[in-house]
Amino acid sequence: MEPDDVFDSVTWETPSASNGYTADYNNERDGIAGGPGGRPGFMTHTQDDGSAPHEPKWEGYLIATVKDPYKELDGTKDVYVSYLVAAKTNLPIFSSPEPSARRRFQDFVFLRENLAKDFPACVVPPLPDKHRLEYLTGDRFSPEFIERRRQDLSRFMQRVSNHPTLQRATLLRDFIESTEWNVKMHQHLAHPPGPEAAPSLLDNISDTIVNAFSRVRKPDSRFLEMRDAVDKFEESLTGIERTWSRARTRTSDLSSDYHDLAVSVQGLGFLESGITDPLNHFSSTLIEFSALLRQTVRPPSPATRAVRPSSLTFSSFLPSLLRKSSVSPTSKPYPQPNTNSQTQSSSEPFLAHVQSLIAYAQAQKAVLKLRDQKQLDFEELTNYLTGVTAERDRLSAIVQGHVSSSGFGLGAYLRDKVEALRGADDDRTRVEKMRKLDAHIKELQEAVSTAHETSDAFNDEVIKESVIFQYAKESEMRELLLALIEGQIEMYRQSAEEWDRIVPILQRIRVDV
């Protein structure tokens, strides 16, 4: 990450005191435009609000949802689906407290890619994979697929809007409220937030001496713990995914068995004329219970159910994290799938959310890997500077007659012998080489200083990102598990009602002995 290409697309106004905290985000300090030490966009809190140094700060709230998919240009070869992005906010960068706009999937891709480019130290949430089987089978315009994608895009927008840095990005503001989005995209590509600098010495050297097999020599225990925590979280989610898939398969098999049992009981009712009606009622109860079992592997999505107040710090300042927006649709809505149908509902929110969390954790790991690369650049540059300095000192000692080349080891001795064969072993040649090395050392010292500042600044941001990811993870896991629990409770409640209804009917069967 270059010191002049990060976080410029964020407006750093001072937040209002009504939000429960105060912080100062300076773009000019120490006489250098762009932030502390010339590093634009890195947050500095000048007022003591009693929080930890790396505790993230929010200027306000932004609640964004994606809804009302609509098929545009239907009947033509250019048909696509647009989505209504609706938000509620009190951030000062937005022109309206309830902005909204219609966007297509490619627009979300552009937003995600450029946020990741503009904010390399931020964990930008992933988008759903575009390359799915539906694109090969021609089913990408089915109501089930559209609803699944809408849920994924809504989850992406919720994560971005809850991020204290990303929620203030000018690109995100334009995405949510601009009526000239295509123009904004071209302007962003033509004039990126941070001007692209020419390749520096840091880039040239690191491309040469750093390879895929390099490892950080002095790993920081803080980031090792972060990586270990993310690995364990991803491993746990993978275990949940496997277990849920097995449970889903077994429950589906059990549902089919109960359905077959219902058919058998109904056939028995036709044979037993005296108890045909009670057996038909019992068969109907079995069919209802079979349907309930099949529904239990597809619990309601957290975004489609009522949300209980959260005590988590992440959402303590938000009025409601997942409530539906009151913005009315501007066009005819795309037909929604029947969520009560066993055969038509192919959406599985629980499993989809778990897979989305796994991808989110991988995005966090990617940022940690990039942080290691920043530290590795600094370490390699430092070692390179040490080697160049040692070579300059060796030549200086030889010129001054303090020591021969053999005193610096076999490598230096052989190098001097090769130079002697080339006729470049005189003092004048050595002095000229020393002059070049002095200039190179000065350039390297500046590069090492820049790499050190960049690495330290990146470390601070990654620590903040870890806290933000922890808040988001806890909030989403809470909502996900609550949705699962409520779905299970509702299934068993309805099942108990069905069985309670059939018990009196069966008890009325008279058996004469």
Side-chain angles (χ1 to χ4, degrees), residues 354-395:
V354 170
Q355 294 168 346
S356 177
L357 280 172
I358 293 175
Y360 201 10
Q362 292 172 350
Q364 167 76 355
K365 291 170 64 176
V367 171
L368 290 173
K369 183 178 180 180
L370 183 58
R371 189 221 68 86
D372 290 344
Q373 184 62 50
K374 299 301 178 184
Q375 181 178 346
L376 188 60
D377 289 344
F378 168 66
E379 292 179 349
E380 295 294 342
L381 279 173
T382 302
N383 290 337
Y384 189 42
L385 173 61
T386 301
V388 173
T389 303
E391 174 66 12
R392 196 271 180 203
D393 293 341
R394 183 185 73 86
L395 293 175

Side-chain angles (χ1 to χ4, degrees), residues 151-167:
Q151 293 177 2
D152 291 338
L153 294 177
S154 186
R155 187 178 299 119
F156 166 77
M157 289 302 301
Q158 289 165 6
R159 290 170 175 171
V160 171
S161 61
N162 290 331
H163 194 286
T165 300
L166 299 180
Q167 68 175 194

